[in-house]
Amino acid sequence: MPTPDPSLHATNDQLIAPPRTPARLSRRMTWHAIGWMVMVGGWALLARTQLDDILPGPGRTAQALDDLITHHQLLVALSLTMARAALGLLTAGVISVSWGFLNGRFPRFYWMTMPGLQLLMSTPGINFVIVAMVWFGTHSIVVIVVVTAVSLPLLTSATTQAFTAIDTDLVEMAQVFRLSRAKKIRHIIVPSLAPPILAALTLALGQSIRVSMMAELLAAASGIGADIRLAHINIETPDIFAYALVMTALTFSLEALLVAPLKRRMSAHPLASEAIGGQHS
């Protein structure tokens, strides 16, 4: 009797996206490494044709980075920028969850507040910086206000979509089987809310860091943005490139170490129907 072909039993997801086998991951990482080497090599070759004040090469940038770390200038500026970005993002998160819940629960409230959400979404970040400077002057609170204003529409749209997409059939089934409030939140509400909110958080995380730097560049006397402004005034271009590399690496690291594990954990969350079935099996 012939052995059945395992490929005939492949799921739709397997047909669309091949499984992430170790060999496939290794090939992907190899091509990633090749891409990085090509970019760094092109950067080094192009920098050889320019002065360091115009385009510093990788070696000169690494030296500038080492100097910034040695004198603790980078660590101090980085901690200030990250604290402001985190506070602004946290404020936007709290407001957006409340706003999104009200939008999902009360359609009239959603219709009424939609113009304000569209206004926030269509306003460039630099406008928020200027307005905040008019209100608060050159103060670190400007950075927090700007990060909050820029992140708020993205997170609010995601939370609104998440609350409106909750499966009402599952909620009714949980009520029929008299699941506790804690189990409903754990097995129905959280798995429904987490994917779109975490996807928006991924974008907002990198965006908040960039916006913080922009706001500091114009309205603060400390932080990465302020140091970049000072480096520009003193024509210290290698320092500018060093700061740019640090912030790029930081954004990638936060995504890989913080947001991506949360996404994987939520994608593996048990289904609400399984939880209900387990309660009454």
Side-chain angles (χ1 to χ4, degrees), residues 122-164:
S122 60
T123 302
I126 188 64
N127 287 21
F128 290 122
V129 176
I130 300 302
V131 172
M133 289 176 64
V134 172
W135 290 350
F136 305 106
T138 54
H139 194 277
S140 59
I141 195 174
V142 170
V143 182
I144 300 171
V145 170
V146 172
V147 172
T148 301
V150 172
S151 304
L152 186 60
L154 175 63
L155 295 177
T156 300
S157 298
T159 53
T160 299
Q161 176 187 356
F163 276 110
T164 54

Side-chain angles (χ1 to χ4, degrees), residues 22-64:
R24 186 168 180 267
L25 289 175
S26 178
R27 289 195 299 270
R28 188 176 68 175
M29 295 303 296
T30 299
W31 283 105
H32 283 340
I34 292 174
W36 280 108
M37 287 188 291
V38 169
M39 286 193 297
V40 173
W43 174 19
L45 290 175
L46 186 60
R48 294 180 63 180
T49 66
Q50 304 291 333
L51 299 175
D52 283 347
D53 293 339
I54 302 299
L55 180 62
R60 183 66 184 88
T61 301
Q63 181 183 349

